């Protein structure tokens, strides 16, 4: 209020005399109109009353309690309009006739000054609330209904817990023969140096298949080299098939823009001058996306994070230490985070995170993730040899909750619990599962149905991920997809069900 008065005084100081004249004239006019209203009210002449009342630009409101010289509800400098509640007499009875008029104070300088004058004279007060008090019976009914919903939810959870009983088994093939790898090769498959590889060039660590013809495979290596190799021809198998590394899509900013910096090459370099130059150039202050920062030089990596911390929105961090995560947790604008090789490290994460990728997650890390209120996209996985014990995930209530989940957790019960905790919001689920033996689950379709994913639009079974190959058979896959789709349809959930290999 005080700031409004000061601002108005400064803005209209030169025009105060003219406005005062207009204000006095308006007051005289209002007094005349008031006299007319009083005479019409006392005469009891309905026609005269209506004629006088219609001359006002206000709306009659019946049943309002009297507020002498009171003005408005919701008076705020942020509002564009003010509502004035005007009474005929400060000493009138509580049932006196009232009117409410809207004054566009933010647009009309005269109205602003009028507001300030009324405020100074004590005529500006908060109008009484017009909200009706809810009857005690309605409040009691709502309380009973809420208690009933809570009881039903507790019964459903108990029933769900009782059904989570089966012996877990691995759903992956850890090793494929060279012949099996050759049979699985497709354009776009990721490969490395295989059993019969010849050569010592260590830069050819991984590449993508560009062509397959008569047992020979052309590969475009990540280092830029292109070559053709035997995969069955002449009895040689020079390549090794890798499971597909899933495209996570976290780096939404283009790598070629000034706001994005790819640190992959520099992180692994021993060039002291180049690394020092990055820290002294001031470029990190303008970076919004920091990609592939490998913490092979822990001290240097920490300083890179510290310089970019204030404005960083997107971060891909490889093999971090606790000191690096300590910097990450205080990044105020961070929205997307990829942690690769974080091991057993656990640290609080920025509460504003919307997207998170954890390559190999553990139980404590999952518990931290479950407390992120803004998280909408999550990718988590673990190795069969290092399972994640079942975690008591709290139920996510909208608007909080995941919309997208890519999950490769073992045991499957942990994955199902995570999905069920976000059943009110999940729209897309990508689940690592085999077509023949999905984690040893006796009936994957039934278990997915019990998760009650009411908003699910798309379900994708990931058959090859990380360093593992899930057991897959085209015929079994088709049957499994239909069974899952049919169960979800029975529950009224219309969902597209796909396989990462078949579809």
């Amino acid at each position: 209020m005080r700031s409004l008065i000061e601002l108005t005084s400064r803005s209209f100081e030169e025009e105060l005399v003219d406005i005062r004249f207009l204000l006095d004239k308006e007051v005289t006019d209002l007094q005349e109109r008031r006299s007319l209203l009083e005479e019409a009210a006392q005469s009891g002449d309905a026609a005269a009353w209506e004629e006088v009342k219609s001359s006002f630009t206000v709306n009659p409101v019946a049943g309002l309690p009297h507020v002498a010289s009171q003005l408005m509800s919701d008076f705020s400098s942020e509002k564009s309009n003010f509502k004035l509640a005007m009474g005929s007499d400060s000493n009138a009875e509580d049932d006196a006739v009232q009117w409410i008029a809207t004054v566009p104070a933010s647009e009309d300088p005269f109205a602003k000054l009028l507001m300030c004058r009324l405020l100074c004279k004590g005529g500006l007060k908060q109008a009484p609330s017009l909200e009706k008090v809810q009857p005690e019976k309605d409040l009691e009914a709502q309380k009973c209904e809420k208690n009933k919903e809570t009881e039903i939810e507790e019964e459903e959870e108990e029933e769900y817990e009782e059904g989570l009983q089966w012996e877990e088994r691995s759903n992956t093939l850890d090793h494929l023969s060279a012949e099996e790898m050759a049979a699985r090769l497709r354009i776009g498959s990721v490969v490395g140096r295989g059993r019969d590889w010849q050569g010592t060039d260590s830069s050819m660590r991984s590449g993508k298949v560009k062509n397959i013809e008569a047992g020979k495979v052309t590969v475009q290596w990540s280092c830029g080299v292109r070559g053709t190799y035997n995969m069955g021809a002449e009895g040689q198998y020079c390549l090794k098939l890798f499971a597909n590394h899933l495209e996570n899509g976290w780096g939404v900013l283009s790598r070629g823009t000034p706001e994005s910096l790819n640190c992959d090459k520099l992180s692994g370099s021993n060039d002291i001058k180049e690394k020092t130059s990055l820290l002294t150039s001031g470029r990190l202050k303008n970076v919004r996306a920091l990609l592939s920062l490998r913490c092979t030089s822990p001290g240097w990596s920490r300083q890179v994070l510290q310089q970019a911390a204030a404005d960083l929105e997107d971060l891909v961090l490889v093999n971090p230490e606790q000191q690096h995560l300590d910097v990450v947790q205080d990044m105020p604008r961070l929205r997307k985070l990829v942690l690769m090789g974080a091991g057993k490290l656990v640290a609080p994460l920025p509460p504003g995170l919307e997207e998170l990728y954890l390559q190999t997650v553990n139980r404590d890390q999952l518990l931290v993730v479950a407390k992120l209120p803004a998280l909408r996209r999550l990718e988590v996985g673990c190795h069969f040899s290092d399972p994640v014990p079942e975690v008591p995930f709290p139920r996510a209530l909208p608007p909080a909750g995941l919309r997208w989940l890519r999950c490769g957790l073992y045991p499957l019960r942990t994955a199902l619990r995570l999905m069920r905790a976000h059943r009110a919001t999940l729209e897309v689920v990508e689940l690592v599962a085999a077509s023949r033996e999905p984690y040893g689950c006796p009936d994957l379709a039934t278990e997915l149905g019990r998760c009650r994913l009411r908003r699910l639009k798309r379900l994708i079974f990931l058959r090859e991920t990380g360093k593992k190959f899930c057991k897959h058979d085209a015929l079994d896959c088709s049957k499994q997809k239909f069974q899952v789709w049919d169960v979800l349809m029975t529950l009224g959930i219309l969902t597209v069900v796909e396989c990462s290999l078949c579809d």
Side-chain angles (χ1 to χ4, degrees):
M1 294 294 186
R2 182 177 300 172
S3 61
L4 179 61
I5 295 172
E6 294 174 352
L7 177 62
T8 305
S9 299
R10 290 195 301 269
S11 301
F12 303 106
E13 184 175 357
E14 296 179 357
E15 305 175 35
L16 188 58
V17 176
D18 294 337
I19 293 177
R20 177 63 182 270
F21 172 78
L22 294 175
L23 180 60
D24 290 340
K25 184 179 179 181
E26 186 70 13
V27 169
T28 302
D29 184 57
L30 285 174
Q31 289 174 347
E32 293 176 356
R33 290 175 179 269
R34 177 177 175 178
S35 298
L36 291 174
L37 284 171
E38 290 176 345
E39 292 175 3
Q42 293 173 1
S43 67
D45 188 341
W49 169 257
E50 291 297 331
E51 181 180 355
V52 174
K53 189 177 65 172
S54 63
S55 66
F56 285 83
T57 57
V58 295
N59 302 319
V61 179
L64 288 177
H66 172 70
V67 185
S69 299
Q70 287 191 14
L71 295 176
M72 58 172 221
S73 60
D74 299 330
F75 180 83
S76 169
S77 60
E78 297 180 358
K79 301 288 185 180
S80 60
N81 294 325
F82 299 99
K83 291 183 178 179
L84 276 68
M86 302 177 65
S88 59
D89 194 330
S90 60
N91 297 319
E93 300 295 333
D94 287 347
D95 58 353
V97 177
Q98 304 290 317
W99 295 274
I100 290 181
T102 300
V103 180
S106 64
E107 302 173 1
D108 189 346
F110 178 76
K112 284 186 177 180
L113 189 59
L114 177 61
M115 290 292 104
C116 292
R117 187 170 186 270
L118 290 169
L119 177 63
C120 295
K121 296 293 185 179
L124 186 61
K125 301 178 182 179
Q126 182 68 36
S129 175
L130 302 182
E131 296 182 1
K132 295 183 179 180
V133 178
Q134 195 168 10
E136 293 184 4
K137 291 183 179 180
D138 293 346
L139 293 174
E140 188 66 27
Q142 288 186 3
K143 185 177 180 180
C144 293
E145 184 177 350
K146 187 175 181 180
N147 290 338
K148 187 175 182 180
E149 292 177 355
T150 303
E151 291 176 1
I152 293 175
E153 185 174 329
E154 290 176 353
E155 290 177 0
E156 289 180 350
E157 291 299 324
E158 290 178 3
E159 181 182 350
Y160 180 74
E161 292 291 338
E162 292 175 358
L164 283 176
Q165 304 294 331
W166 65 76
E167 182 181 353
E168 295 282 353
R169 301 191 303 277
S170 172
N171 72 331
T172 59
L173 293 174
D174 293 338
H175 303 286
L176 295 176
S177 66
E179 292 76 12
E180 289 175 321
M181 291 183 184
R184 283 175 173 253
L185 282 178
R186 300 288 186 274
I187 302 297
S189 294
V190 181
V191 295
R193 295 170 293 178
R195 184 184 69 186
D196 299 321
W197 177 267
Q198 296 179 358
T200 58
D201 191 346
S202 59
S203 65
M204 298 181 188
R205 292 179 293 181
S206 67
K208 287 190 176 182
V209 174
K210 295 299 181 180
N211 186 51
I212 304 174
E213 185 176 356
K216 291 184 176 293
V217 178
T218 301
V219 178
Q220 179 69 50
W221 298 97
S222 57
C223 62
V225 178
R226 191 182 183 101
T228 300
Y229 310 90
N230 292 332
M231 273 302 280
E234 302 177 8
Q236 292 183 329
Y237 295 89
C238 300
L239 302 175
K240 178 180 180 180
L241 177 65
F242 290 158
N244 292 328
H245 291 280
L246 303 175
E247 297 294 335
N248 53 54
W250 303 112
V252 293
L253 297 178
S254 171
R255 294 168 184 259
T257 65
E259 295 83 7
S260 179
L261 177 62
N262 191 336
C263 296
D264 185 38
K265 183 177 180 181
L266 186 57
S267 296
S269 170
N270 293 326
D271 191 331
I272 298 176
K273 291 184 178 180
E274 191 174 0
K275 285 190 171 184
T276 303
S277 175
L278 179 63
L279 296 176
T280 58
S281 64
R283 183 188 173 188
L284 288 169
K285 295 181 180 179
N286 299 319
V287 170
R288 298 293 179 271
L290 198 58
L291 309 176
S292 301
L293 178 61
R294 291 187 282 149
C295 301
T296 51
S297 301
W300 176 81
S301 301
R302 185 186 70 254
Q303 291 194 42
V304 169
L305 290 173
Q306 289 173 339
Q307 289 195 21
D311 297 314
L312 201 61
E313 300 173 3
D314 189 355
L315 174 62
V316 180
L317 199 56
V318 184
N319 297 325
E321 297 180 0
Q322 190 65 51
Q323 59 178 315
H324 304 116
L325 295 185
D326 291 340
V327 178
V328 170
Q329 67 177 309
D330 294 326
M331 292 182 176
R333 300 183 60 182
L334 193 65
R335 296 295 177 266
K336 303 181 182 74
L337 175 62
V338 180
L339 288 179
M340 305 179 67
K344 300 295 183 179
L345 298 178
V346 179
L349 297 174
L353 273 182
E354 298 173 1
E355 303 181 17
L356 176 64
Y357 168 89
L358 289 171
Q359 186 182 44
T360 52
V361 72
N362 58 59
R363 183 180 185 276
D364 293 334
Q365 289 172 341
L366 270 182
L367 288 174
V368 171
V369 170
K371 298 177 182 178
L372 296 175
L375 197 63
R376 298 294 178 265
R377 293 172 61 92
L378 175 64
E379 179 171 345
V380 288
C382 68
H383 295 304
F384 175 72
S385 58
D386 190 17
V388 178
E390 295 179 49
V391 177
F393 297 106
R395 182 180 177 183
L397 299 176
L402 296 175
R403 272 56 169 179
W404 182 93
L405 173 64
R406 179 179 284 160
C407 188
L409 294 177
Y410 176 83
L412 180 59
R413 287 192 292 268
T414 301
L416 292 172
R417 286 183 185 276
L418 178 58
M419 293 164 59
R420 184 173 170 82
H422 295 268
R423 60 186 179 272
T425 56
L426 269 175
E427 297 178 358
V428 178
V429 173
E430 300 183 11
L431 180 65
V432 177
S435 60
R436 288 187 176 181
E437 296 184 25
Y439 292 75
C441 173
D443 188 350
L444 183 58
T446 299
E447 295 304 326
L448 288 173
R450 295 176 68 230
C451 288
R452 297 293 191 269
L453 306 176
R454 296 293 184 183
R455 297 187 61 184
L456 190 64
K457 298 177 181 177
R458 193 177 183 201
L459 174 62
I460 303 173
F461 290 120
L462 302 177
R463 308 305 192 187
E464 296 182 358
T465 177
K467 297 180 179 180
K468 305 291 183 179
F469 294 86
C470 294
K471 298 174 182 178
H472 178 265
D473 176 82
L475 181 60
D476 290 336
C477 178
S478 179
K479 292 179 180 178
Q480 183 191 56
K481 288 188 296 183
F482 180 80
Q483 289 172 352
V484 171
W485 176 84
D486 190 46
V487 167
L488 296 178
M489 279 291 294
T490 303
L491 296 172
I493 307 172
L494 180 57
T495 304
V496 175
V497 182
E498 298 177 319
C499 166
S500 61
L501 290 182
C502 298
D503 302 309

